[in-house]
Amino acid sequence: MNCLFVGAGAIAPEYAAGLSESSLSLAGVVDLDADRAASLADARGCPSFADLETAMERVDAPLVVNLTSHAAHAAVTRTALEADRHVYSQKPLALAADEARSLVALARDRGLALGCAPGTPRAPSQRRAGRLLADGRLGPVGLGYAHAHVGRVSDWHDRPDSFLEIGPLYDGAVYPLALLVSWFGPVERVRVADTLDVWPAREDRRPSTPSHVEATLAFAAGPTVRLTASFYAPHRSREFYGLELHGDDGSLYLKGTGAMGDDRDAVRFGRVGREYVSAPPDAPEEPYEYVEAVERLAASVEAGSPSRAGGRRGAHVVAVCNAIEAAAEGDGPVAVDDCGATADPPPAPAVRPEKQIGGETDAGAAALRLPAVGFGCSRYRDGEYVERADSIETALDAGYRLFDSAELYGNEHRIGELLAAPGAPDRERVFLLGKAWRTNHRREHLLDACAGSREELGIDAFDCYALHWPSALEHRGELRRLAEKPVERQEALTFPADADGELAADDVSLATAWENLEAVHDRGWARTLGICNVSRAQLETVLEAGAVDPALVQVERHPYRPRNDLVDFCHERGIRVVAHSPLSAPGLLDEPVLNAIGTERGLSPAEVVIAWNVSRGVVPIPSSTAESHVVSNLAAGSERLTADEIARVDALRDPDLER
């Protein structure tokens, strides 16, 4: 779709920069400063104009992008709408709520799209914070603290007059306000507000309105938020556009409500009674581009449903700013018109598998959609059994959403307690993999094992339930809560010995064990089935014998033992591969090639291995007890290695381990 830029100031090149990768094309540029318009237009190969009416007459551009100064937004938007052009406006939509509402009404009456910046609620770190909210991590949210420290605009902007005329609310506070409205819906009232005219005496250019504003806002369906917007507090202060929310069950900190990029510490979560933990990205995220919101608006037009949601939100934000000013003048609590603004739909949970039928899911034969990185819950580390409750809780707080449990680990009840505790994610947001131990391959034992594990975890069904190993051992008793038994008893139950001291095998074939596992599925206790520690030949046995195909295969996989043939075999059949022990091979993390790739990318050797797995479509489940490693392993899921880097890591393969 052709668009017309109105305004060629500092922000215009930022919008233009993303055009080449979008579905939009720039048909013309308008600016009262003809030279400035010509400079941008010449760089983009389009005509320039000094007035809007002439441009709209001569240019076929159904969408106007309003990038003028703050005070000019409303007039330009009205002119464009009256000419039957769709409009996307920089913030604010207007400076008066009545004018903003009338623009929305005009767009509605003419069937036109109307959008308004900021679009940063859809930026990477903001979306990640929104997912934590949608996960139910905070519980009901009661309080929030939002900052918009725009800083001394005369220090960092070449044309600060427009900013100084309108004050910090309409330029800065719009960022946290737009995000909060996208999460919680409209502000119901301004409880109290105050303003200050603090400003350095040495400055010649001063704000025309108060330079510092504080207000307490009550959201109709959410928290009460203290908002601070300031030109006096520098934007390099500790809080720039920071936001902190506190709920019954936990707290969330977002470093920047207006940020366009991302980093692993931009979002932090703290369950009640625990310290904040970084919740890093676990998948690749591209920085937000200004033009993205314009492109979405154009897409709504092309789909025949011109969107005005952004315009309604922009109008409500203006109404909030007006109400703050009124409250600061002594009017007491001030009600705020919602202007039709609504919260965005919450992010969908990670796709949960439907129950399989004949090897295919109800939704089709597509492979499971899993998080890039999962968390291993085994208690066995470096030759000893260790308590894992704290590290599992840290993993939950950091944002892991796939947890690898097993009755062998003996701590399913601990995981269940954590999942049931305040601050835990909602059940549908977590993928739980369970595994039956080798001593329970017979049908009655396998059913009892699954029933016990479900009870310990407090769940109705596993997302995937698997055979821990393909071969069977003699049953010597139930394995519930192994972690609470003496180590000698644990070993006797899980690795039973015969009279000669050898492992006591049970006469249950793999095909029979899989048939028994299908009984779990038939009862609805597992949505999908899986198998662990298999060879390709053993997997083929299951595929030939079973009525329900495995959806997931878990094997040991690391650069010394990449299992690429098995991985490719699984992927060709839509079977997901999970890699246990991805970092545990002796000497692996000292490999020069991992250090070299890590140095080139700013990653640790462990992060390179995680990224190597993820880049091949394999889900690693590292098992760490150190918070820093828990966070960095998850963050490595957002990295993708190049084909050359993958080949360099693959070259570490040890043929002896592949046998």
Side-chain angles (χ1 to χ4, degrees):
M1 178 181 291
N2 282 346
C3 58
L4 175 68
F5 278 15
V6 184
I11 198 65
E14 301 291 342
Y15 276 85
L19 286 172
S20 59
E21 302 297 325
S22 77
S23 59
L24 303 172
S25 56
L26 186 57
V29 179
V30 183
D31 197 287
L32 295 176
D33 184 331
D35 291 339
R36 190 162 65 171
S39 177
L40 178 59
D42 290 346
R44 307 300 301 188
C46 65
S48 63
F49 305 89
D51 69 275
L52 177 56
E53 289 79 3
T54 300
M56 289 192 294
E57 289 174 2
R58 297 185 183 178
V59 170
D60 179 19
L63 175 58
V64 167
V65 182
N66 184 354
L67 306 177
T68 56
S69 60
H70 305 85
H73 288 168
V76 169
T77 294
R78 179 171 294 279
T79 298
L81 291 173
E82 289 176 344
D84 288 322
R85 307 299 174 104
H86 308 285
V87 178
Y88 182 85
S89 174
Q90 256 291 74
K91 41 79 180 174
L93 185 63
L95 296 180
D98 288 345
E99 178 68 8
R101 283 190 293 267
S102 71
L103 293 174
V104 175
L106 178 59
R108 181 195 62 225
D109 293 344
R110 291 178 175 260
L112 297 170
L114 177 60
C116 183
T120 44
R122 296 181 66 92
S125 60
Q126 292 88 321
R127 288 203 310 269
R128 194 160 78 255
R131 286 193 292 270
L132 282 174
L133 280 172
D135 281 356
R137 304 306 309 278
L138 275 66
V141 179
L143 292 174
Y145 304 93
H147 297 85
H149 290 169
V150 183
R152 317 284 170 79
V153 289
S154 53
D155 290 342
W156 56 263
H157 200 283
D158 59 349
R159 297 191 181 192
D161 292 343
S162 175
F163 296 82
L164 295 174
E165 288 170 3
I166 65 163
L169 280 177
Y170 298 92
D171 183 74
V174 293
Y175 288 104
L177 285 174
L179 182 61
L180 288 164
V181 172
S182 77
W183 287 345
F184 298 107
V187 174
E188 185 176 53
R189 67 187 184 280
V190 177
R191 293 170 55 90
V192 65
D194 193 13
T195 61
L196 293 173
D197 288 317
V198 59
W199 198 251
R202 66 177 178 273
E203 294 284 348
D204 294 330
R205 288 188 288 191
R206 303 178 62 85
S208 303
T209 61
S211 61
H212 185 90
V213 181
E214 296 195 6
T216 303
L217 315 176
F219 284 77
T224 297
V225 176
R226 186 190 71 194
L227 171 69
T228 301
S230 183
F231 278 165
Y232 186 77
H235 66 278
R236 293 182 178 86
S237 60
R238 184 176 62 86
E239 292 288 1
F240 179 22
Y241 281 116
L243 172 66
E244 191 167 28
L245 296 175
H246 302 289
D248 290 0
D249 302 333
S251 299
L252 168 71
Y253 177 73
L254 173 64
K255 186 176 180 180
T257 56
M260 300 180 67
D262 198 10
D263 65 66
R264 66 176 57 182
D265 297 317
V267 180
R268 297 175 65 82
F269 172 76
R271 195 183 299 215
V272 169
R274 289 176 62 86
E275 297 292 334
Y276 275 103
V277 174
S278 291
D282 63 351
E285 292 275 14
E286 293 295 326
Y288 175 79
E289 299 280 352
Y290 283 104
V291 77
E292 289 180 27
V294 184
E295 191 172 21
R296 284 194 301 274
L297 192 73
S300 76
V301 173
E302 292 174 339
S305 301
S307 174
R308 289 175 288 277
R312 291 191 295 269
R313 181 174 299 164
H316 176 62
V317 168
V318 172
V320 174
C321 294
N322 285 184
I324 291 172
E325 291 175 325
E329 291 173 0
D331 289 351
V334 178
V336 183
D337 186 348
D338 64 21
C339 300
T342 58
D344 291 339
V351 174
R352 299 279 299 284
E354 301 294 338
K355 185 176 179 181
Q356 289 176 316
I357 299 176
E360 295 189 2
T361 66
D362 291 348
L368 291 177
R369 288 182 59 189
L370 301 176
V373 181
F375 195 72
C377 299
S378 171
R379 294 181 300 119
Y380 195 72
R381 286 184 61 83
D382 301 323
E384 296 183 359
Y385 292 104
V386 299
E387 175 57 59
R388 295 299 312 283
D390 186 70
S391 61
I392 294 170
E393 189 167 13
T394 298
L396 276 167
D397 291 353
Y400 284 84
R401 292 297 176 266
L402 186 159
F403 289 85
D404 173 66
S405 68
E407 61 173 345
L408 175 70
Y409 304 157
N411 56 4
E412 289 169 315
H413 63 295
R414 302 280 193 214
I415 299 172
E417 291 168 357
L418 293 174
L419 291 175
D426 296 336
R427 171 66 184 99
E428 67 271 14
R429 304 273 174 171
V430 178
F431 189 101
L432 289 177
L433 168 62
K435 303 191 288 289
W437 185 238
R438 303 169 67 181
T439 58
N440 288 323
H441 279 201
R442 292 186 179 274
R443 183 186 178 95
E444 65 274 17
H445 297 149
L446 202 152
L447 289 171
D448 287 345
C450 185
S453 292
R454 289 168 48 246
E455 181 180 343
E456 297 283 45
L457 288 164
I459 61 174
D460 295 326
F462 281 98
D463 297 297
C464 184
Y465 195 62
L467 296 177
H468 206 146
W469 282 83
S471 57
L473 298 175
E474 284 186 5
H475 181 80
R476 297 285 175 87
E478 71 168 27
L479 306 181
R480 189 174 297 195
R481 300 205 177 187
L482 277 173
E484 298 179 353
K485 304 180 189 299
V487 173
E488 295 80 6
R489 180 60 177 160
Q490 294 181 41
E491 298 288 346
L493 288 171
T494 55
F495 296 98
D498 60 19
D500 297 325
E502 301 295 327
L503 284 177
D506 197 5
D507 186 20
V508 181
S509 69
L510 177 56
T512 299
W514 186 262
E515 181 181 346
N516 295 338
L517 190 69
E518 289 179 345
V520 169
H521 178 267
D522 293 341
R523 295 192 179 198
W525 293 356
R527 296 181 174 89
T528 63
L529 300 179
I531 189 165
C532 309
N533 300 301
V534 289
S535 65
R536 173 170 167 171
Q538 290 168 326
L539 179 56
E540 289 175 335
T541 295
V542 170
L543 290 168
E544 292 170 2
V548 178
D549 288 348
L552 180 150
V553 164
Q554 181 185 119
V555 292
E556 178 184 1
R557 184 179 193 264
H558 48 71
Y560 293 156
R561 195 182 187 197
R563 308 293 295 275
N564 286 338
D565 289 344
L566 178 63
V567 170
D568 292 341
F569 179 81
C570 289
H571 287 174
E572 289 167 3
R573 288 154 182 79
I575 300 171
R576 294 304 307 271
V577 179
V578 172
H580 74 72
S581 309
L583 307 174
S584 301
L588 175 63
L589 301 185
D590 294 324
E591 285 288 349
V593 67
L594 301 180
N595 280 280
I597 294 173
T599 298
E600 294 163 6
R601 285 179 158 267
L603 302 173
S604 70
E607 291 171 312
V608 172
V609 175
I610 298 294
W612 168 77
N613 272 291
V614 172
S615 298
R616 283 295 306 268
V618 174
V619 180
I621 50 170
S623 177
S624 180
T625 56
E627 179 183 315
S628 61
H629 293 162
V630 171
V631 172
S632 63
N633 288 341
L634 181 61
S638 66
E639 301 288 340
R640 295 294 182 271
L641 301 189
T642 66
D644 175 68
E645 289 168 333
I646 292 173
R648 290 164 64 189
V649 177
D650 281 348
L652 295 174
R653 172 181 173 270
D654 184 340
D656 291 335
L657 293 178
E658 287 281 81
R659 293 171 186 165

Short mmCIF file of all heavy atoms in Angstrom, two decimals, residues 320-353:
data_model
loop_
_atom_site.label_atom_id
_atom_site.label_comp_id
_atom_site.label_asym_id
_atom_site.label_seq_id
_atom_site.Cartn_x
_atom_site.Cartn_y
_atom_site.Cartn_z
N VAL A 320 -6.70 10.57 29.64
CA VAL A 320 -6.00 10.36 30.91
C VAL A 320 -5.10 11.56 31.20
O VAL A 320 -5.08 12.09 32.33
CB VAL A 320 -5.17 9.06 30.88
CG1 VAL A 320 -4.33 8.93 32.15
CG2 VAL A 320 -6.08 7.84 30.73
N CYS A 321 -4.35 12.00 30.20
CA CYS A 321 -3.44 13.14 30.40
C CYS A 321 -4.23 14.41 30.76
O CYS A 321 -3.82 15.18 31.65
CB CYS A 321 -2.60 13.37 29.15
SG CYS A 321 -1.43 12.04 28.78
N ASN A 322 -5.37 14.61 30.09
CA ASN A 322 -6.22 15.76 30.43
C ASN A 322 -6.71 15.66 31.87
O ASN A 322 -6.75 16.65 32.61
CB ASN A 322 -7.43 15.82 29.50
CG ASN A 322 -7.12 16.33 28.10
OD1 ASN A 322 -8.01 16.49 27.29
ND2 ASN A 322 -5.84 16.60 27.80
N ALA A 323 -7.11 14.46 32.29
CA ALA A 323 -7.64 14.27 33.63
C ALA A 323 -6.55 14.48 34.69
O ALA A 323 -6.82 15.01 35.78
CB ALA A 323 -8.24 12.87 33.76
N ILE A 324 -5.32 14.08 34.38
CA ILE A 324 -4.20 14.32 35.30
C ILE A 324 -4.01 15.83 35.49
O ILE A 324 -3.84 16.31 36.62
CB ILE A 324 -2.91 13.67 34.77
CG1 ILE A 324 -3.03 12.14 34.85
CG2 ILE A 324 -1.69 14.15 35.56
CD1 ILE A 324 -1.88 11.40 34.18
N GLU A 325 -4.06 16.58 34.40
CA GLU A 325 -3.91 18.03 34.50
C GLU A 325 -5.04 18.64 35.33
O GLU A 325 -4.80 19.53 36.16
CB GLU A 325 -3.88 18.63 33.10
CG GLU A 325 -2.62 18.28 32.32
CD GLU A 325 -2.65 18.78 30.89
OE1 GLU A 325 -3.75 18.80 30.29
OE2 GLU A 325 -1.59 19.15 30.38
N ALA A 326 -6.24 18.13 35.12
CA ALA A 326 -7.38 18.66 35.88
C ALA A 326 -7.25 18.34 37.36
O ALA A 326 -7.52 19.19 38.23
CB ALA A 326 -8.69 18.09 35.32
N ALA A 327 -6.83 17.12 37.68
CA ALA A 327 -6.66 16.72 39.08
C ALA A 327 -5.57 17.55 39.74
O ALA A 327 -5.68 17.92 40.91
CB ALA A 327 -6.34 15.24 39.16
N ALA A 328 -4.51 17.84 38.99
CA ALA A 328 -3.41 18.63 39.55
C ALA A 328 -3.83 20.06 39.84
O ALA A 328 -3.25 20.74 40.70
CB ALA A 328 -2.22 18.62 38.59
N GLU A 329 -4.86 20.55 39.15
CA GLU A 329 -5.36 21.90 39.39
C GLU A 329 -6.31 21.96 40.57
O GLU A 329 -6.87 23.01 40.87
CB GLU A 329 -6.06 22.41 38.13
CG GLU A 329 -5.09 22.67 36.97
CD GLU A 329 -5.82 23.02 35.68
OE1 GLU A 329 -7.07 23.04 35.69
OE2 GLU A 329 -5.13 23.25 34.67
N GLY A 330 -6.51 20.83 41.23
CA GLY A 330 -7.30 20.83 42.45
C GLY A 330 -8.71 20.33 42.28
O GLY A 330 -9.55 20.51 43.18
N ASP A 331 -9.03 19.71 41.18
CA ASP A 331 -10.39 19.23 40.94
C ASP A 331 -10.71 17.94 41.69
O ASP A 331 -11.81 17.41 41.58
CB ASP A 331 -10.62 19.01 39.44
CG ASP A 331 -10.70 20.34 38.68
OD1 ASP A 331 -10.75 21.38 39.36
OD2 ASP A 331 -10.72 20.31 37.45
N GLY A 332 -9.72 17.39 42.42
CA GLY A 332 -9.95 16.15 43.15
C GLY A 332 -9.95 14.96 42.20
O GLY A 332 -9.52 15.07 41.05
N PRO A 333 -10.45 13.82 42.64
CA PRO A 333 -10.50 12.66 41.74
C PRO A 333 -11.27 13.01 40.47
O PRO A 333 -12.33 13.64 40.52
CB PRO A 333 -11.24 11.60 42.56
CG PRO A 333 -10.97 11.99 43.99
CD PRO A 333 -10.95 13.49 43.99
N VAL A 334 -10.72 12.60 39.32
CA VAL A 334 -11.31 12.95 38.03
C VAL A 334 -11.59 11.66 37.26
O VAL A 334 -10.69 10.85 37.04
CB VAL A 334 -10.37 13.86 37.21
CG1 VAL A 334 -10.99 14.16 35.84
CG2 VAL A 334 -10.08 15.15 37.96
N ALA A 335 -12.84 11.48 36.86
CA ALA A 335 -13.20 10.31 36.05
C ALA A 335 -12.63 10.47 34.64
O ALA A 335 -12.48 11.59 34.13
CB ALA A 335 -14.72 10.16 36.00
N VAL A 336 -12.33 9.33 34.02
CA VAL A 336 -11.72 9.35 32.69
C VAL A 336 -12.61 8.59 31.72
O VAL A 336 -13.03 7.45 32.00
CB VAL A 336 -10.32 8.71 32.71
CG1 VAL A 336 -9.67 8.81 31.33
CG2 VAL A 336 -9.43 9.37 33.75
N ASP A 337 -12.91 9.21 30.59
CA ASP A 337 -13.68 8.55 29.53
C ASP A 337 -12.84 7.44 28.92
O ASP A 337 -11.67 7.66 28.57
CB ASP A 337 -14.04 9.59 28.46
CG ASP A 337 -14.98 9.03 27.39
OD1 ASP A 337 -15.17 7.81 27.33
OD2 ASP A 337 -15.50 9.85 26.60
N ASP A 338 -13.41 6.25 28.77
CA ASP A 338 -12.63 5.15 28.19
C ASP A 338 -12.45 5.29 26.69
O ASP A 338 -11.59 4.62 26.09
CB ASP A 338 -13.24 3.79 28.53
CG ASP A 338 -14.63 3.58 27.94
OD1 ASP A 338 -14.99 4.26 26.96
OD2 ASP A 338 -15.36 2.71 28.46
N CYS A 339 -13.24 6.15 26.04
CA CYS A 339 -13.11 6.41 24.60
C CYS A 339 -13.22 5.13 23.76
O CYS A 339 -12.74 5.09 22.62
CB CYS A 339 -11.81 7.13 24.28
SG CYS A 339 -11.63 8.72 25.10
N GLY A 340 -13.80 4.09 24.33
CA GLY A 340 -13.93 2.83 23.61
C GLY A 340 -12.70 1.97 23.64
O GLY A 340 -12.65 0.91 22.99
N ALA A 341 -11.66 2.39 24.39
CA ALA A 341 -10.41 1.62 24.43
C ALA A 341 -10.62 0.33 25.21
O ALA A 341 -11.37 0.28 26.19
CB ALA A 341 -9.31 2.44 25.08
N THR A 342 -9.96 -0.71 24.79
CA THR A 342 -10.03 -2.01 25.46
C THR A 342 -8.63 -2.60 25.56
O THR A 342 -7.72 -2.21 24.82
CB THR A 342 -10.93 -2.99 24.70
OG1 THR A 342 -10.43 -3.15 23.36
CG2 THR A 342 -12.37 -2.50 24.65
N ALA A 343 -8.49 -3.57 26.46
CA ALA A 343 -7.22 -4.29 26.56
C ALA A 343 -7.06 -5.20 25.35
O ALA A 343 -8.04 -5.63 24.73
CB ALA A 343 -7.19 -5.12 27.84
N ASP A 344 -5.82 -5.47 25.00
CA ASP A 344 -5.55 -6.43 23.94
C ASP A 344 -5.88 -7.84 24.43
O ASP A 344 -5.81 -8.12 25.63
CB ASP A 344 -4.07 -6.39 23.53
CG ASP A 344 -3.71 -5.10 22.82
OD1 ASP A 344 -4.62 -4.44 22.30
OD2 ASP A 344 -2.51 -4.76 22.81
N PRO A 345 -6.23 -8.75 23.53
CA PRO A 345 -6.40 -10.15 23.95
C PRO A 345 -5.09 -10.65 24.53
O PRO A 345 -4.00 -10.32 24.03
CB PRO A 345 -6.74 -10.87 22.64
CG PRO A 345 -7.23 -9.81 21.71
CD PRO A 345 -6.48 -8.57 22.09
N PRO A 346 -5.14 -11.43 25.62
CA PRO A 346 -3.88 -11.94 26.20
C PRO A 346 -3.18 -12.87 25.24
O PRO A 346 -3.83 -13.52 24.40
CB PRO A 346 -4.36 -12.68 27.46
CG PRO A 346 -5.79 -13.02 27.18
CD PRO A 346 -6.32 -11.91 26.33
N PRO A 347 -1.87 -12.95 25.31
CA PRO A 347 -1.14 -13.87 24.43
C PRO A 347 -1.62 -15.30 24.65
O PRO A 347 -1.92 -15.71 25.77
CB PRO A 347 0.32 -13.72 24.88
CG PRO A 347 0.37 -12.41 25.60
CD PRO A 347 -0.97 -12.22 26.22
N ALA A 348 -1.70 -16.05 23.57
CA ALA A 348 -2.13 -17.44 23.67
C ALA A 348 -1.07 -18.25 24.40
O ALA A 348 0.12 -17.96 24.32
CB ALA A 348 -2.36 -18.02 22.28
N PRO A 349 -1.49 -19.27 25.14
CA PRO A 349 -0.50 -20.12 25.80
C PRO A 349 0.28 -20.92 24.78
O PRO A 349 -0.12 -21.03 23.62
CB PRO A 349 -1.36 -21.04 26.68
CG PRO A 349 -2.68 -21.07 26.00
CD PRO A 349 -2.87 -19.72 25.39
N ALA A 350 1.40 -21.48 25.22
CA ALA A 350 2.13 -22.39 24.36
C ALA A 350 1.18 -23.48 23.91
O ALA A 350 0.33 -23.94 24.68
CB ALA A 350 3.31 -23.00 25.11
N VAL A 351 1.27 -23.88 22.65
CA VAL A 351 0.33 -24.85 22.10
C VAL A 351 0.40 -26.14 22.88
O VAL A 351 1.46 -26.73 23.05
CB VAL A 351 0.62 -25.10 20.61
CG1 VAL A 351 -0.27 -26.21 20.08
CG2 VAL A 351 0.38 -23.83 19.81
N ARG A 352 -0.74 -26.56 23.39
CA ARG A 352 -0.83 -27.81 24.12
C ARG A 352 -1.29 -28.88 23.15
O ARG A 352 -2.18 -28.67 22.32
CB ARG A 352 -1.83 -27.70 25.27
CG ARG A 352 -1.46 -26.67 26.30
CD ARG A 352 -0.43 -27.18 27.27
NE ARG A 352 -0.93 -28.33 28.01
CZ ARG A 352 -1.80 -28.26 29.01
NH1 ARG A 352 -2.27 -27.09 29.38
NH2 ARG A 352 -2.18 -29.35 29.64
N PRO A 353 -0.75 -30.09 23.23
CA PRO A 353 -1.16 -31.14 22.29
C PRO A 353 -2.57 -31.64 22.58
O PRO A 353 -2.96 -31.80 23.73
CB PRO A 353 -0.14 -32.24 22.54
CG PRO A 353 0.28 -32.04 23.96
CD PRO A 353 0.26 -30.55 24.18
#
